[in-house]
Amino acid sequence: MLVIQNGWLVTPQGAAFGDMAVDCGRIAALGARLSPAPQDDVLDASGLWVFPGFIDAHTHFDMGNDLAHTADDFETGTRAALMGGTTCVVDFATQERGGTLSDALAQWHRKAQGRCSCHYAFHMAITDWNERTRAELADLLAAGVSTFKLYMAYDALRVNDGELYDVLVSTARLGGLVGVHCENGDLVNAGVRRERQSDAGVQGHPRSRPAAVEAEAVERLLRIAQVADCPVKVVHLSTREGLEAVRRARGRGQCVRVETCPQYLLLSDERYRRPDGANYVCSPPLRPASDREALVKALLEGEIDTIATDHCSYTSAQKAAAGRDFSRIPNGLPGVEHRAVAMMSAFVATGRMDAAAMCRLLSENPAREMGMYPCKGALRVGSDADVVLWDPNAAGVLTAQGQWQNTDYTPYEGLRVSGGVRHVLLGGRWAVRDGRLIAPNLGSYVARRQPQL
């Protein structure tokens, strides 16, 4: 048995000074003063915060398209996640047009199995909706896939409004949850054509998909969900106008879950005016400061449910290969390693948010949404011993040179951070000790239950 003594145990209800015992991969006891047996291992966690492991429910590892293949696969991506305190990721298995959901799930299992340094699970991205696909949904739930993804943009991926409605109804009947990429695909295509003609370069990217393109899609999604009478999730929300659509839906009594990402809380579209602007091309794009400020305010007031990364990494060379044709720049940013420290530094170390609120955003809420709670996302007797010991007094600077992510830049280069990961337990085993990776590839597949909304 391992006994962690003298730490601050952090839950969404607050932080309490106490001890934790871990046995057989689970939390065995919690208390003010636990008495270890002579044979027990003991760790003095004085001055450290003890969190349930962080969960990143939006990553893209080992993903290819007609532009490029991501720099991070499951081996490098989950290793970087673990070093940043993330003990579980939920990646996107994606159905091919003409293919089956079961084939997609099998393909993603092959990519991940035996290569992960943190736990992993899969959403299923549905791109080809038909009766065969509908018939597979129950099998997906039985296989532990209880969340799904739809796209309202990208011609190779998106569904139409009728299909969107049908997927919402069909998955809700089985207890699943659908997350949706909200951009009006036709308007994106028109914007891309317009900006390519103007030879705008990288700055054509945000101009091709302004805030209204997201807001219209969020509003349309939420009206469709209203007719379907189903809960729904808006992923990577980036705009004030989209947020206002969410507020209207919630005011009507709808169940709407909202995810945003660190890049929309910390960065703005001024990055596209830099010489390395191509490195910041992602979709939705970085927004003006006014949108960032609106999302930060919503976060502080509890309107945002989770913070995920949408980690989709490429190298600077991959980003630069398109030259001035912004439409050929592979979309995505690295971030799975730096999410927790960037958010802790921006909001907890500055006193704008307490550690309990951050625990809710990074641990409990994603665990509930993903159907993992209370096995994960909780410090409770019987919960899995996926635990992060955080040093709030650490300090550092984020650099590409010092990262584990398999790319040559970080969007947060030079960011001074407060706090950091000291130790990580994965399934009760030491994976990180004193900031050093000591046991890679301990991650296993998480078969999930119905989301708790």
Side-chain angles (χ1 to χ4, degrees), residues 338-362:
H338 296 149
R339 175 183 61 143
V341 72
M343 294 295 92
M344 291 280 196
S345 299
F347 298 109
V348 179
T350 58
R352 306 174 78 186
M353 181 180 290
D354 61 19
M358 192 57 68
C359 179
R360 188 178 305 111
L361 289 161
L362 301 186

Side-chain angles (χ1 to χ4, degrees), residues 67-122:
L67 299 177
H69 201 96
T70 55
D72 277 303
D73 58 14
F74 280 89
E75 181 176 6
T76 63
T78 60
R79 187 173 59 200
L82 182 76
M83 295 303 293
T86 292
T87 57
C88 187
V89 298
V90 188
D91 206 83
F92 291 87
T94 302
Q95 176 195 28
E96 293 183 2
R97 290 280 171 89
T100 67
L101 304 185
S102 60
D103 285 346
L105 183 59
Q107 181 184 4
W108 256 257
H109 272 299
R110 287 192 295 270
K111 292 180 179 187
Q113 189 170 16
R115 309 187 69 209
C116 292
S117 290
C118 70
H119 300 310
Y120 62 95
F122 301 119

Side-chain angles (χ1 to χ4, degrees), residues 17 57 71 95 123 153 157 159 161 187 204 233 254 284 300 338 418 421:
F17 186 78
Q95 176 195 28
H123 309 280
L157 299 172
V159 296
D161 289 355
L187 293 182
K233 179 177 180 178
Q254 289 182 244
L300 298 176
H338 296 149
S418 299
V421 173

Side-chain angles (χ1 to χ4, degrees), residues 196-208:
R196 287 182 71 185
Q197 291 173 357
S198 69
D199 191 29
V202 171
Q203 293 185 52
H205 176 67
R207 293 175 190 169
S208 71

Side-chain angles (χ1 to χ4, degrees), residues 192-226:
V192 168
R193 290 193 298 268
R194 180 186 67 246
E195 295 301 328
R196 287 182 71 185
Q197 291 173 357
S198 69
D199 191 29
V202 171
Q203 293 185 52
H205 176 67
R207 293 175 190 169
S208 71
R209 49 225 306 159
V213 168
E214 176 181 90
E216 186 280 334
V218 172
E219 182 72 48
R220 180 158 42 98
L221 166 68
L222 298 183
R223 287 297 187 180
I224 293 171
Q226 180 186 22

Side-chain angles (χ1 to χ4, degrees), residues 132-149:
R132 182 180 65 181
T133 302
R134 188 200 309 274
E136 289 190 272
L137 292 179
D139 292 338
L140 265 289
L141 270 292
V145 178
S146 56
T147 52
F148 300 84
K149 172 77 172 288

Side-chain angles (χ1 to χ4, degrees), residues 48-78:
L48 302 181
W49 293 344
V50 183
F51 284 93
F54 305 137
I55 298 167
D56 189 343
H58 195 145
T59 64
H60 298 279
F61 299 145
D62 200 354
M63 186 189 78
N65 53 41
D66 63 339
L67 299 177
H69 201 96
T70 55
D72 277 303
D73 58 14
F74 280 89
E75 181 176 6
T76 63
T78 60

Side-chain angles (χ1 to χ4, degrees), residues 162-447:
E163 292 167 335
L164 196 160
Y165 168 84
D166 207 10
V167 173
L168 285 179
V169 171
S170 299
T171 54
R173 284 173 180 163
L174 297 170
L177 176 67
V178 177
V180 183
H181 176 120
C182 294
E183 292 183 293
N184 183 309
D186 291 335
L187 293 182
V188 168
N189 291 345
V192 168
R193 290 193 298 268
R194 180 186 67 246
E195 295 301 328
R196 287 182 71 185
Q197 291 173 357
S198 69
D199 191 29
V202 171
Q203 293 185 52
H205 176 67
R207 293 175 190 169
S208 71
R209 49 225 306 159
V213 168
E214 176 181 90
E216 186 280 334
V218 172
E219 182 72 48
R220 180 158 42 98
L221 166 68
L222 298 183
R223 287 297 187 180
I224 293 171
Q226 180 186 22
V227 175
D229 193 23
C230 296
V232 73
K233 179 177 180 178
V234 177
V235 303
H236 51 49
L237 184 70
S238 69
T239 62
R240 175 187 54 80
E241 293 179 46
L243 175 64
E244 290 171 349
V246 170
R247 287 170 175 159
R248 288 191 292 272
R250 286 174 169 171
R252 296 190 295 266
Q254 289 182 244
C255 177
V256 184
R257 306 294 292 185
V258 176
E259 164 199 288
T260 194
C261 307
Q263 56 265 33
Y264 305 121
L265 298 168
L266 299 181
L267 307 178
S268 72
D269 61 354
E270 59 84 19
R271 298 288 174 128
Y272 297 121
R273 296 189 285 274
R274 294 169 31 151
D276 63 345
N279 286 351
Y280 297 90
V281 168
C282 58
S283 292
L286 303 179
R287 302 296 187 180
S290 58
D291 288 295
R292 180 186 65 203
E293 292 162 4
L295 289 177
V296 167
K297 185 173 185 293
L299 182 78
L300 298 176
E301 294 179 355
E303 296 182 271
I304 305 293
D305 299 298
T306 60
I307 301 173
T309 59
D310 195 8
H311 177 99
C312 189
S313 62
Y314 299 96
T315 65
S316 297
Q318 287 176 300
K319 291 279 196 175
R324 290 191 59 80
D325 186 356
F326 70 88
S327 69
R328 300 294 297 174
I329 300 172
N331 277 221
L333 299 181
V336 73
E337 180 178 349
H338 296 149
R339 175 183 61 143
V341 72
M343 294 295 92
M344 291 280 196
S345 299
F347 298 109
V348 179
T350 58
R352 306 174 78 186
M353 181 180 290
D354 61 19
M358 192 57 68
C359 179
R360 188 178 305 111
L361 289 161
L362 301 186
S363 299
E364 182 174 305
N365 282 0
R368 288 183 180 276
E369 283 187 10
M370 295 299 107
M372 301 178 184
Y373 188 86
C375 291
K376 301 191 184 300
L379 297 184
R380 294 173 50 170
V381 173
S383 294
D384 294 344
D386 300 335
V387 179
V388 175
L389 284 83
W390 186 271
D391 183 355
N393 297 312
V397 178
L398 300 185
T399 65
Q401 186 176 8
Q403 72 183 357
W404 290 78
Q405 295 168 147
N406 193 34
T407 185
D408 59 340
Y409 80 98
T410 168
Y412 310 109
E413 182 74 33
L415 180 68
R416 294 188 177 277
V417 293
S418 299
V421 173
R422 177 76 68 84
H423 314 294
V424 181
L425 284 171
L426 199 70
R429 299 172 63 183
W430 290 114
V432 177
R433 289 292 300 265
D434 293 313
R436 297 168 56 192
L437 178 65
I438 64 168
N441 300 326
L442 295 180
S444 59
Y445 173 65
V446 180

